[in-house]
Amino acid sequence: MNLVSALADSPRTILQTLADTILDITQCDSAGLSLLTRDGQTADVRGKRFFWPAIAGMWNPHAGGGTPRNFGPCGDVLDQNRTLLFRHFERRYPYLLPVIPAAEECLLVPFYVAGEAVGTIWAIMHCDRRQFDAEDDRVMASLGKFASSAYQALIHIEDLKVQVSQREKAEAEVRELARGLEAKIRRLVEANVVGIVMWNLEGSITGANDAFLRMVQYDREDLASGRVRWTDLTPAEWHDRDERARAELQATGIFQPFEKEYVRKDGGRVSVLLGGALFEGSGNEGVAFVIDLSDQKRAERALRRSEAFLAEGQHLSQTGSFSWRVATDEITWSEQLYRIYELEIGVPVTLELIRTRVHPEDVSLIEKMKMVDQAPDGGKDFEMQYRLVMPDHSIKYLHAVAHPSRDQDGQLEYIAVVQDVTARRLTEEARDKARSELAHVARVMSLGTLTASIAHELNQPLSGIVTNASTCMRMLATDPPNVDGARETARRTIRDARRAADVITRLRAIFSKKESTTESVDLNEAAREVIALSLSELERGGVILRREFAEDLPAVTGDRVQLQQVILNLLRNASDAMSGVDDRPRELVIRTERDEGDGVRLSVQDAGQGLDLQSMDQLFQPFYTTKGDGMGIGLSVSRSIIESHYGRLWAQANDGPGATFSFSVPCRPDGVPGNPGLDAIRSLTAAIALQVMGTL
Amino acid sequence: MTINRSLVSVVDDDESVRESLPDLLREFGFAVEAFASAEEFLGSVYVGQTKCLILDIAMPGMSGPDLQRELRTRKQAIPIVFITAQENATIRPRLLKEGAVECLVKPFSETALLTALNTALRVA
């Protein structure tokens, strides 16, 4: 019973209790245990020595000592696997001589655990007071069995102790680790780099750092009062998302980061990225980290808005853009360019696809763009016009500006904008047509109306003059002459002549109202403007225009508009002169150059029917014309204008076909130009008068 | 002056014409009556006696061609010589087609006028 209670009460002293029990039961002088050991302190069946973990009686002071496994009484017992009785074993194993008092008799019993010998128990008599007998042998045998159980219990307890100490060590390590982690987490919390919030599944917020409070604009007092609940911070439309996160938490203990919104204290919204986990073992409480996405959202919105602006801008201006890496044919289009090409947005763009749209006559442009690599002026921006043929056979006119550049590898890459100018082009064509028709009508009308009104105004008095003069002559021719009648008709003739003079005076007044303006005129520039105005008309007439403008042409002083009228007149004459030419190019050369002395010359050379030598001197006479529909006053007016600029206008037959009309004006005339309008009218009225005389 | 002289009527809004042309016509030997408007002529007693009408084209109110049509409506077959200060290439053939003898552009010569008058009176 002692043993059992010892075992239950104090496992550590069980071996000592066993030794005491042996001593008590056998009434011997010393009793103890020998256990196999490797380190001399703890039991181990693979040990090569025995040690004495517990001794009772006279040998008690030798507790902790021991004997070798293979040379000693205990080894003999284990080897023979039975109880042995020794007398004076120190005589056989002399190393035991120092162990006093010497053993008169020693009864040794082996004990086993799971069929394996682990040690012995023994009882010693140091005198001959009694001798061990069969009863002792039996008692010892049963104590040996108990020793086996005690040993097992001890080993088990040792194991438990090891396990306990290991667990304690592990727990200590965990505690240490936790202290480290806690410090780290605290640093994280206090750094306020991200918002950190502790919560439970009921909706409470049990803790939060300043970063989190700043996001939602609550303060510590709000938090302490318990008024702030994460369920209330979440807008209604995000409740479903929260539920998904809750389900995820319950399934896995964490929820993956997701974007949501919180309602701030002021009612505004804040976009956040939220991720978190349940605390281990709590099942209800957890922590979440929260990142404020406001800046990011703002940037995203700004980017989207800027993209939307760009897209809308491209849409409104009918402008698309593209990039093209020539070496790899990587082509990227803006949405608007897809719309212009009427292709589905997003389909991969290839040169083959582009070729299906580009007008066959313009396809060569693509090759030209590729050749920029070799071009001497490669690297300059360039503009081009090209056409698309749409599936319904309609034509689109595009205007592109391409900017070639080099990427890191030195490869050619284009960035280009493409504008759909179809509407503008059609408008321009219609406008050009209207303008040229209008110009033609105006030209005919203005000159026609002018001459008609001048003619009407002058014809009335002229008619009177002619009639009265005729009457007068007839009256004087009668016999006798009707002198009174003749005087009266002569008076009327004079009166009508005055009327005619009045008409001239009135005309002079009208035309002198338009003062000629004197300014510095760049003839090249003036000619370019006229060409721009006449280009469509010239093209319609099949005229090929060549410009040979001298550079650094000095400016002339004069009336820019009047000089342009002369240039326009010369261009039209040249174009008209070639209207019947079909066997050679209708080439028109407009040339500017410095003239001898201080002058500038502009020439217009045509390849028309040329000039008849006999008619050369008539060319500049009013009403001389070779055209079916011409008035024949253009050249005469032109000459008036040039002469009013102190210049001259002349014509020459070309060496080849056609004629060249030139004018030359001095750069610094000695006086101011006259009034060519008036001069022109003067020469016109003179011409009309001449015509009138011709009818008489 | 005898009653046998052929009556030439001149209709023109221009006073100088009404002043000078009748004198010349009288020198030619015609009897002349001048009117400032077509309406004035139609309202006069001379419509039936007129052997030749010298008629201005453009006048305020009824124009020369209007009068020409009106006379045809009234079955008055008076030869008409039109005169005008405004040369117009398209109107002349139309007037001649409508039955006018001639269309003279002012200022016209004495010879041209006489030729037209002779033609007119031959027609008559």
Side-chain angles (χ1 to χ4, degrees):
Chain A
M1 284 308 291
N2 278 349
L3 274 171
V4 174
S5 64
L7 187 60
D9 294 346
S10 178
R12 289 166 201 278
T13 59
I14 184 172
L15 296 181
Q16 188 59 46
T17 304
L18 182 63
D20 290 344
T21 303
I22 297 167
L23 190 75
D24 186 41
I25 290 174
T26 60
Q27 290 295 302
C28 62
D29 296 326
S30 297
L33 294 92
S34 298
L35 295 179
L36 282 168
T37 182
R38 284 206 283 196
D39 60 4
Q41 292 175 4
T42 53
D44 187 335
V45 294
R46 286 158 299 178
K48 296 293 183 237
R49 281 184 62 81
F50 291 98
F51 85 108
W52 302 324
I55 299 174
M58 297 175 76
W59 267 21
N60 174 262
H62 300 299
T67 58
R69 160 70 177 79
N70 291 332
F71 187 66
C74 293
D76 293 343
V77 171
L78 294 189
D79 290 340
Q80 296 178 33
N81 192 18
R82 63 187 179 96
T83 301
L84 289 179
L85 182 67
F86 286 87
R87 283 182 192 278
H88 291 287
F89 49 42
E90 74 279 0
R91 292 176 191 163
R92 187 167 171 191
Y93 303 109
Y95 61 84
L96 287 170
L97 279 172
V99 185
I100 53 172
E104 181 74 20
E105 268 189 345
C106 180
L107 185 63
L108 285 121
V109 178
F111 69 92
Y112 300 84
V113 172
E116 201 166 19
V118 295
T120 61
I121 56 171
W122 39 263
I124 295 173
M125 287 302 293
H126 299 293
C127 65
D128 56 0
R129 180 174 46 90
R130 63 160 298 213
Q131 288 186 329
F132 293 118
D133 53 21
E135 180 62 15
D136 294 317
D137 190 16
R138 193 184 55 78
V139 168
M140 284 297 277
S142 89
L143 283 172
K145 288 196 184 80
F146 189 81
S148 172
S149 298
Y151 179 87
Q152 277 181 314
L154 193 66
I155 293 300
H156 185 63
I157 287 166
E158 286 302 317
D159 276 352
L160 280 177
K161 269 161 68 181
V162 168
Q163 282 175 21
V164 166
S165 84
Q166 276 174 350
R167 182 188 288 178
E168 280 172 351
K169 193 177 162 204
E171 282 173 351
E173 282 170 359
V174 167
R175 272 195 300 278
E176 188 60 33
L177 191 66
R179 265 198 298 281
L181 268 178
E182 197 181 323
K184 282 177 187 165
I185 289 170
R186 187 174 305 285
R187 272 204 303 283
L188 181 64
V189 169
E190 288 170 359
N192 287 308
V193 175
V194 297
I196 292 174
V197 57
M198 266 75 80
W199 42 263
N200 63 33
L201 287 177
E202 277 84 56
S204 298
I205 291 179
T206 53
N209 67 350
D210 291 341
F212 178 79
L213 292 173
R214 268 201 302 278
M215 281 179 217
V216 293
Q217 296 187 340
Y218 284 95
D219 55 29
R220 296 239 156 253
E221 275 182 39
D222 296 322
L223 196 62
S225 72
R227 282 194 301 269
V228 190
R229 297 174 59 80
W230 60 261
T231 42
D232 298 334
L233 285 176
T234 304
E237 67 266 31
W238 289 99
H239 283 164
D240 285 354
R241 185 62 188 88
D242 271 4
E243 282 308 309
R244 291 220 303 278
R246 184 199 286 265
E248 198 183 343
L249 262 179
Q250 280 163 346
T252 66
I254 61 167
F255 63 95
Q256 296 296 326
F258 67 97
E259 286 183 24
K260 64 175 277 185
E261 284 179 314
Y262 280 134
V263 180
R264 294 190 309 223
K265 192 177 184 180
D266 68 358
R269 299 279 183 99
V270 57
S271 290
V272 294
L273 180 70
L274 180 73
L278 281 173
F279 288 129
E280 200 159 335
S282 80
N284 186 37
E285 294 183 337
V287 64
F289 62 85
V290 186
I291 295 170
D292 188 341
L293 296 179
S294 300
D295 288 346
Q296 197 183 333
K297 292 284 174 190
R298 254 195 301 280
E300 279 175 17
R301 274 197 299 276
L303 185 63
R304 270 200 299 275
R305 201 161 50 233
S306 133
E307 280 173 350
F309 278 157
L310 186 64
E312 186 63 15
Q314 291 211 344
H315 187 65
L316 284 175
S317 62
Q318 293 281 298
T319 305
S321 51
F322 69 85
S323 67
W324 174 23
R325 279 172 187 270
V326 175
T328 57
D329 277 347
E330 281 174 71
I331 301 171
T332 311
W333 277 10
S334 74
E335 285 191 8
Q336 187 58 32
L337 198 54
Y338 280 103
R339 289 194 199 102
I340 291 173
Y341 273 71
E342 293 176 19
L343 289 169
E344 192 185 334
I345 291 171
V347 299
V349 182
T350 61
L351 286 181
E352 285 63 43
L353 183 66
I354 294 172
R355 284 200 183 93
T356 61
R357 282 282 195 272
V358 173
H359 193 287
E361 290 174 16
D362 296 339
V363 164
S364 62
L365 278 174
I366 297 174
E367 299 309 315
K368 272 188 201 151
M369 284 178 79
K370 282 187 170 179
M371 298 300 280
V372 162
D373 257 347
Q374 286 91 40
D377 61 346
K380 279 189 189 167
D381 289 4
F382 63 90
E383 295 186 28
M384 57 198 169
Q385 312 264 1
Y386 64 99
R387 289 160 293 175
L388 301 183
V389 183
M390 307 318 291
D392 63 358
H393 304 296
S394 64
I395 300 283
K396 279 192 180 182
Y397 294 90
L398 305 186
H399 179 90
V401 181
H403 173 70
S405 61
R406 303 275 163 190
D407 63 12
Q408 310 91 296
D409 308 325
Q411 295 296 322
L412 183 62
E413 179 177 11
Y414 283 106
I415 304 289
V417 290
V418 180
Q419 191 172 22
D420 183 350
V421 294
T422 308
R424 196 168 78 196
R425 178 68 180 251
L426 295 178
T427 311
E428 274 174 3
E429 279 185 357
R431 192 196 61 202
D432 282 356
K433 190 160 174 277
R435 187 165 61 192
S436 77
E437 281 168 359
L438 191 68
H440 182 72
V441 170
R443 182 165 59 132
V444 174
M445 284 298 288
S446 62
L447 292 175
T449 312
L450 180 67
T451 43
S453 72
I454 293 169
H456 187 264
E457 286 296 307
L458 285 170
N459 281 345
Q460 291 289 16
L462 286 172
S463 180
I465 292 167
V466 171
T467 308
N468 285 313
S470 300
T471 311
C472 181
M473 285 171 79
R474 283 191 171 270
M475 287 176 169
L476 290 174
T478 55
D479 191 16
N482 178 357
V483 177
D484 289 346
R487 188 178 291 123
E488 173 57 20
T489 51
R491 190 189 59 77
R492 289 183 199 147
T493 305
I494 292 163
R495 185 200 61 195
D496 286 347
R498 285 213 178 103
R499 263 177 72 188
D502 287 347
V503 171
I504 300 290
T505 308
R506 272 208 312 280
L507 282 171
R508 184 180 286 153
I510 289 168
F511 282 95
S512 65
K513 272 180 194 155
K514 190 194 171 294
E515 299 279 323
S516 67
T517 52
T518 303
E519 58 191 319
S520 185
V521 182
D522 176 353
L523 265 192
N524 283 347
E525 193 54 41
R528 265 193 280 276
E529 286 180 11
V530 173
I531 290 167
L533 271 173
S534 330
L535 211 53
S536 337
E537 193 179 321
L538 293 174
E539 278 174 5
R540 262 195 300 281
V543 174
I544 302 157
L545 180 81
R546 212 172 75 218
R547 291 171 231 208
E548 292 179 6
F549 287 175
E551 288 176 15
D552 305 324
L553 202 65
V556 299
T557 306
D559 185 315
R560 178 191 189 81
V561 174
Q562 288 178 356
L563 289 173
Q564 286 184 320
Q565 281 169 357
V566 174
I567 298 169
L568 181 66
N569 189 42
L570 295 184
L571 284 180
R572 280 180 174 160
N573 282 351
S575 173
D576 291 347
M578 294 191 285
S579 60
V581 172
D582 291 319
D583 57 342
R584 56 183 181 267
R586 297 179 183 179
E587 191 179 58
L588 189 159
V589 183
I590 177 163
R591 187 180 294 120
T592 58
E593 57 202 309
R594 276 170 173 274
D595 205 3
E596 300 124 26
D598 182 29
V600 173
R601 180 194 298 193
L602 183 144
S603 310
V604 177
Q605 175 189 321
D606 65 54
Q609 61 216 22
L611 296 170
D612 179 357
L613 272 179
Q614 273 118 33
S615 61
M616 281 287 244
D617 53 343
Q618 289 179 278
L619 269 177
F620 298 98
Q621 296 300 318
F623 304 109
Y624 174 81
T625 181
T626 57
K627 307 176 199 171
D629 58 348
M631 290 290 296
I633 58 172
L635 278 175
S636 103
V637 171
S638 293
R639 179 173 259 184
S640 295
I641 289 172
I642 294 303
E643 283 174 354
S644 77
H645 283 78
Y646 303 95
R648 57 195 190 95
L649 171 64
W650 70 97
Q652 285 168 296
N654 293 342
D655 289 342
T660 300
F661 284 78
S662 311
F663 69 79
S664 167
V665 282
C667 296
R668 281 183 296 277
D670 296 332
V672 292
N675 189 325
L678 180 59
D679 293 344
I681 294 307
R682 198 176 283 144
S683 61
L684 265 179
T685 44
I688 290 164
L690 271 172
Q691 270 205 327
V692 170
M693 300 314 268
T695 63
L696 294 177
Chain B
M1 291 209 188
T2 69
I3 201 76
N4 292 340
R5 289 188 176 189
S6 302
L7 177 64
V8 175
S9 293
V10 176
V11 181
D12 197 317
D13 62 320
D14 187 75
E15 195 188 346
S16 72
V17 173
R18 293 201 305 277
E19 192 181 61
S20 57
L21 198 53
D23 281 355
L24 183 60
L25 291 169
R26 283 187 200 102
E27 287 299 315
F28 288 161
F30 297 107
V32 185
E33 289 297 334
F35 304 89
S37 71
E39 291 86 348
E40 192 186 321
F41 171 68
L42 284 174
S44 76
V45 296
Y46 299 104
V47 175
Q49 303 168 31
T50 301
K51 296 289 178 288
C52 177
L53 182 60
I54 296 179
L55 182 57
D56 189 21
I57 292 177
M59 289 182 294
M62 191 182 264
S63 73
D66 289 343
L67 179 57
Q68 182 186 26
R69 274 189 293 279
E70 178 60 29
L71 290 173
R72 197 163 57 230
T73 310
R74 297 186 183 191
K75 311 282 184 204
Q76 295 286 344
I78 309 173
I80 300 175
V81 174
F82 279 103
I83 55 175
T84 179
Q86 197 85 59
E87 177 158 19
N88 188 320
T90 61
I91 200 167
R92 186 183 138 93
R94 205 170 71 219
L95 294 174
L96 296 185
K97 200 178 161 210
E98 296 283 322
V101 174
E102 186 51 280
C103 180
L104 300 172
V105 178
K106 300 174 191 177
F108 42 84
S109 67
E110 188 187 278
T111 320
L113 180 62
L114 260 180
T115 308
L117 280 170
N118 286 335
T119 308
L121 294 172
R122 255 205 312 281
V123 168

